[in-house]
Structures are given as C-alpha cells and as structure tokens.
Amino acid sequence: MLITFEGIDASGKSTQIRLLKQYLHANGVEALALREPGGVPLSEQIRTMLLESKEEMGSVTELLLFSASRAELVRTLVLPALEQHKVIILDRFYDSTTAYQGYGRGIDLNTICAVNQIASLGIEPQLTFYLDLLPEDAMMRKFSEKSLPLSFGKNETPLDRMESSGLEFYRRVRHGYKTLVQENPHRFVELDALQSINDLHRQITETMCQRLPKLRERLLHKCP
C-alpha cells in the first residue's frame, strides 16, 4: 500500500510523515517512510546533484534526473516492500514532477505523464495528502527555520537550487497541485498546511482510516 505526501517546500510534509509512521508502528503496522529524490544510494547522489549543484541545469535535464532517481527507488525498495504487503509512505512521488517540472517549468504535460509512467513502473498511490501552503508563507517558514533575514544577496541565498526558483515559480507549482487535486478526487486529500501539527495529524489519520479500509483492518486499535 502506497501513501504519498505532496506540497511545496516547507508545507510540513516531513513532520506529518514522521508522525504517521509512528502512529502506524504503534498500531502494529510496519511502515517504510522514504523521500524523493533519494531513499537509496544512487538516488541520494542524484538528489545532491539536483539540489546542491551550482551549475545551470535545463528543465528537461532536471525532469530526467528526478525521474531516474524515482525509477531506482521504486525498483530497489518500493516494489519489494509492496510485494511484502508493507505500507510505504513517500515524501513526494510523480505528482511532484507534474507540479514542478510540468506546471512550474512549463514542460509539456503529455511528456511529463509519459515519463512519470516509465519512472514509477506503473505504480499509483492509494492515497495522496496534499498540504496546501501559499508560496509567501512557505518562504517565511524557510527563513524562520534558518533564523535569517528575508533580504539576501544573489550569492548569499541559504536556499537549495529548487527553493531558489522564486515566488512566481512556486505559484505555478501550487496551481499545478490544485489542478491535480481537482482532477483526482478519488486519490487526493487537500489539507490546510497552516493548521497546527496536531490538527493535521488527526485529520490525516482519520482520513486514512476512512479511505483505506484494508489498512484500517490491520490496526490494533480503533481508528480515531
């Protein structure tokens, strides 16, 4: 069973994934939490290239690198874990590619769809949580986390390569996510990322229990 979390940077995905994994483990369900790009050695190397490189990178190059990282993660860890009936929680999956490289970078969406199908080996999440956050709020969170002023020189940015793409880029990405939510109501659940950590976690566990009856049956305790 595959559960994915989506949203722009600083939306709180990592925190909610950690809490969900703890909740599942406490209820007797083995869960594996992974991130994209990354998760396995080769994919982590690609992650470093994508986020830390100071070299100019074309949008198609970026698309293919993200997809190569995904393909390796799926082949190495995700598929074997699913075959063992484990619960996989992914911090990003192919929806990120559609939102970031499709809507954000402007690559043809049909091309994105074809590449996503190849890189994911045809796997589709059973449930996707989208944590919605305005780019302006995301930027405030990023600088608050780093205890840095909002003004900085071009060569002094504390953000990684993707985070440095600018507000207009992230507005397009957010629009892409909102479109995906509307087009895939059977899979997506949109949540306000400005809510408290505890409120978000409660909504996530409640929704998971409602939407995934096979997982609900495996829990030791009753759903919230």
Side-chain angles (χ1 to χ4, degrees), residues 185-198:
H186 67 288
R187 178 166 63 84
F188 268 93
V189 175
E190 179 176 343
L191 300 170
D192 182 358
L194 288 179
Q195 297 179 86
S196 72
I197 291 174
N198 288 337

Side-chain angles (χ1 to χ4, degrees), residues 165-213:
S165 297
L167 284 176
E168 284 303 319
F169 170 77
Y170 276 97
R171 290 186 182 114
R172 295 193 299 272
V173 171
R174 180 173 182 259
H175 170 69
Y177 273 128
K178 303 283 271 190
T179 302
L180 286 169
V181 171
Q182 292 176 357
E183 293 177 346
N184 301 276
H186 67 288
R187 178 166 63 84
F188 268 93
V189 175
E190 179 176 343
L191 300 170
D192 182 358
L194 288 179
Q195 297 179 86
S196 72
I197 291 174
N198 288 337
D199 283 346
L200 277 170
H201 176 61
R202 176 182 53 78
Q203 291 175 42
I204 287 168
T205 54
E206 288 177 351
T207 302
M208 183 189 67
C209 287
Q210 294 166 3
R211 294 278 195 106
L212 302 174

Side-chain angles (χ1 to χ4, degrees), residues 78-199:
V78 176
L79 273 179
L82 291 176
E83 290 171 355
Q84 296 171 19
H85 305 290
K86 293 181 181 179
V87 175
I88 315 297
I89 310 171
L90 268 184
D91 186 345
R92 301 194 181 284
F93 198 44
Y94 55 64
D95 295 307
S96 283
T97 299
T98 303
Y100 277 76
Q101 282 71 52
Y103 286 90
R105 300 295 191 207
I107 298 177
D108 176 70
L109 292 178
N110 290 325
T111 299
I112 294 285
C113 183
V115 173
N116 281 346
Q117 184 72 11
I118 294 170
S120 66
L121 303 184
I123 293 174
E124 181 177 346
Q126 278 68 54
L127 184 61
T128 299
F129 291 104
Y130 165 58
L131 275 58
D132 184 48
L133 187 67
L134 289 170
E136 293 83 356
D137 291 328
M139 190 65 69
M140 291 290 291
R141 280 188 176 183
K142 277 290 179 184
F143 280 88
S144 176
E145 289 171 1
K146 299 173 185 288
S147 300
L148 292 165
L150 285 174
S151 59
F152 54 86
K154 182 176 180 181
N155 298 321
E156 299 171 338
T157 172
L159 308 177
D160 66 36
R161 196 184 64 82
M162 293 299 296
E163 294 168 345
S164 300
S165 297
L167 284 176
E168 284 303 319
F169 170 77
Y170 276 97
R171 290 186 182 114
R172 295 193 299 272
V173 171
R174 180 173 182 259
H175 170 69
Y177 273 128
K178 303 283 271 190
T179 302
L180 286 169
V181 171
Q182 292 176 357
E183 293 177 346
N184 301 276
H186 67 288
R187 178 166 63 84
F188 268 93
V189 175
E190 179 176 343
L191 300 170
D192 182 358
L194 288 179
Q195 297 179 86
S196 72
I197 291 174
N198 288 337
D199 283 346

